[in-house]
Amino acid sequence: QVQLVESGGGLVQAGGSLRLSCAASGRFFRLNDLGWYRQAPGKQRELVAKITREGSTNYADSAKGRFTISRDNAKNTVYLQMNSPKPEDTGVYYCNAWISLHPLRPLEEYWGQGTQVTVSS
């Protein structure tokens, strides 16, 4: 069974910094695209950033210039460095992964359980 386990959430002051981590465990062939999504209270889940296995990145406009997504393929881990967070960045952050369980099977999508990030003003 594949699991995504997030860590690093918590309370941070606006203008500070925070780093989220998400580690994949279990039996799988390869991690493909990895991403971070955010869900604020009363709002839909939205993409924050994503990264391909080769390292190409894509960011939401709200995250550009402040957040950095990275990955360590040897550790099966994806990170989100949050610099200068704002109160509007508050929400539950979910790790997302497209995983190949077997080279002959299609990719499958997995989600972490979420980690709360609260940015105080």
Side-chain angles (χ1 to χ4, degrees):
Q1 182 73 12
V2 177
Q3 281 192 316
L4 300 177
V5 179
E6 298 114 334
S7 60
L11 176 65
V12 61
Q13 283 194 328
S17 64
L18 197 67
R19 189 173 87 153
L20 307 182
S21 300
C22 171
S25 63
R27 296 187 64 180
F28 53 87
F29 172 65
R30 189 169 64 183
L31 294 179
N32 290 277
D33 290 2
L34 300 172
W36 288 96
Y37 287 71
R38 171 176 68 211
Q39 187 164 20
K43 295 188 177 181
Q44 289 188 333
R45 193 174 298 186
E46 61 180 1
L47 173 70
V48 177
K50 59 183 180 181
I51 184 169
T52 68
R53 182 170 179 83
E54 294 74 24
S56 296
T57 58
N58 187 31
Y59 293 91
D61 287 343
S62 61
K64 288 178 181 176
R66 298 186 300 122
F67 296 176
T68 302
I69 188 170
S70 61
R71 63 189 290 167
D72 185 332
N73 290 334
K75 296 181 178 179
N76 295 321
T77 300
V78 62
Y79 305 96
L80 184 69
Q81 179 67 42
M82 303 172 63
N83 294 331
S84 300
K86 305 174 181 179
E88 51 264 43
D89 294 321
T90 294
V92 179
Y93 282 70
Y94 295 91
C95 176
N96 173 269
W98 287 90
I99 299 176
S100 175
L101 299 182
H102 187 276
L104 298 180
R105 289 177 56 177
L107 298 178
E108 298 183 29
E109 186 176 28
Y110 289 83
W111 292 91
Q113 80 285 356
T115 185
Q116 176 70 42
V117 172
T118 302
V119 184
S120 63
S121 57

